[in-house]
Amino acid sequence: MQCLLLAASVLLTANSSLAAAPTLSVVNPPSTYGVHIGDVLTRTLVVEASGGDTLAKNSLPKKGRKQNGIELVGIAVQSQAQSGHTRYTVQFDYQVFAASATPSVMYLPAEKLIVAATTVDIPAWGFWFSPLVTGGTTTARKNILPEVKTPLIDSHVHQQGLVVSLSMTVISLLALLYINADGQWLPFMGGAFARAHRQLKRLAKSAKPKTAAEEKKALVYLHQAFNQHYGANIFARDVDEFVRLRPGFKGLQQEITQFFEASNQSLYDVKSRDSRQLIAQLVQLSKRLRDCERGVS
């Protein structure tokens, strides 16, 4: 009876040890051929450890280890606790740095991991190493491709667009200058009303008191401009004829009539007037007359 009990105890211990042994699965690179210098080969190990068994980190190879033309350039460990066991996923990244003139067989090295007190062996994995160019420098020279010149960008269309844009910008600036400027930098800018407008603006901005004399001077500036356009002295009765001869001023016919009426009152009326206000009104009227003169109103 004691012998039977001893045998049963040995069997239970053996079964327990077998059940506790870690399991290993290896995923090697997908291809065993066509590997060149500089290629990185990834190898993944999955270790299933039962109970509280842990993977000994000091059993892992060191990053940077070189062996027979193979360098371990990366190593990553992940653990995932599951019911009754722990799964360790270990990824090795190997880079090939060997140089060979002919195809040859190389191996990812065998590795050993320690889980609890159990050693897990990972076998070596062989593959074919293919040289980039077979032969010596003569063969390499034959395989050199000539340099291709960088194609030039056709800038003709862009140059045309730039010229058109610059031309439009210059034309727009000249148009704004022609419409708003008081000077005589361009042809047709020095008309009679443009000159009268400049004179009136200077008169309005001067520090002199705006007296009746200043008021009459302002009226004379506009009268001279009307006379120049009409070709003779123009009076209130001639406004209709002036507009007929100069149809560009038709839109201001009412303001022109009011100007001549105000001029007659200023010359012949003895009542005092606000000369400053009248001169300011003449500045605005002369600007509108100048615009008509330039054909931009």
Side-chain angles (χ1 to χ4, degrees):
M1 178 62 98
Q2 290 179 350
C3 291
L4 290 175
L5 291 175
L6 181 61
S9 176
V10 170
L11 289 174
L12 289 173
T13 303
N15 290 335
S16 176
S17 298
L18 289 174
T23 60
L24 171 69
S25 62
V26 182
V27 180
N28 288 311
S31 178
T32 59
Y33 59 88
V35 179
H36 302 286
I37 184 171
D39 287 352
V40 176
L41 304 177
T42 299
R43 198 179 198 193
T44 304
L45 316 176
V46 179
V47 180
E48 301 280 354
S50 62
D53 293 344
T54 59
L55 174 65
K57 297 296 180 66
N58 57 3
S59 67
L60 296 171
K62 301 297 182 182
K63 179 181 176 181
R65 183 196 64 187
K66 298 180 180 179
Q67 182 178 346
N68 299 327
I70 304 293
E71 180 181 356
L72 182 61
V73 295
I75 181 170
V77 181
Q78 293 181 346
S79 61
Q80 182 180 5
Q82 299 180 353
S83 58
H85 68 280
T86 303
R87 172 177 293 176
Y88 293 96
T89 303
V90 185
Q91 179 177 304
F92 295 110
D93 293 324
Y94 301 94
Q95 187 171 31
V96 181
F97 65 88
S100 175
T102 59
S104 58
V105 177
M106 298 183 68
Y107 293 91
L108 296 185
E111 307 287 0
K112 289 186 178 181
L113 303 179
I114 297 177
V115 180
T118 305
T119 300
V120 180
D121 293 318
I122 299 98
W125 181 78
F127 61 91
W128 279 97
F129 172 77
S130 300
L132 295 177
V133 179
T134 58
T137 56
T138 303
T139 305
R141 289 194 185 97
K142 292 180 180 179
N143 287 276
I144 294 177
L145 297 176
E147 293 185 1
V148 179
K149 292 184 178 180
T150 304
L152 299 177
I153 299 175
D154 185 9
S155 61
H156 183 67
V157 176
H158 301 287
Q159 290 176 350
Q160 288 182 336
L162 179 61
V163 171
V164 172
S165 299
L166 290 176
S167 301
M168 294 297 294
T169 301
V170 171
I171 293 173
S172 300
L173 290 175
L174 291 177
L176 288 173
L177 185 65
Y178 181 76
I179 293 171
N180 298 302
D182 292 331
Q184 304 182 46
W185 303 291
L186 293 176
F188 311 109
M189 289 182 64
F193 286 113
R195 183 168 57 254
H197 180 62
R198 291 194 298 272
Q199 293 170 330
L200 286 167
K201 283 181 64 176
R202 285 196 296 268
L203 182 62
K205 292 180 179 179
S206 68
K208 292 182 179 180
K210 302 304 182 284
T211 61
E214 298 291 312
E215 177 184 328
K216 290 181 180 180
K217 185 185 296 187
L219 292 169
V220 169
Y221 290 151
L222 271 187
H223 275 293
Q224 290 175 344
F226 276 111
N227 293 341
Q228 185 173 344
H229 271 278
Y230 189 59
N233 291 334
I234 180 174
F235 300 97
R237 63 177 180 272
D238 302 317
V239 171
D240 292 339
E241 180 65 13
F242 172 80
V243 172
R244 187 185 67 80
L245 295 174
R246 298 279 190 256
F249 294 89
K250 186 174 181 59
L252 292 179
Q253 183 171 354
Q254 183 177 353
E255 287 84 346
I256 295 172
T257 301
Q258 291 174 354
F259 162 74
F260 279 100
E261 292 175 354
S263 177
N264 290 334
Q265 292 177 3
S266 176
L267 293 173
Y268 304 112
D269 197 349
V270 296
K271 294 181 180 179
S272 60
R273 299 158 56 90
D274 188 347
S275 299
R276 179 180 295 276
Q277 181 180 1
L278 177 61
I279 293 174
Q281 292 172 352
L282 292 178
V283 171
Q284 296 300 319
L285 177 61
S286 64
K287 182 179 183 302
R288 299 184 63 185
L289 291 168
R290 183 201 66 182
D291 294 342
C292 290
E293 183 180 56
R294 293 179 178 177
V296 296
S297 62

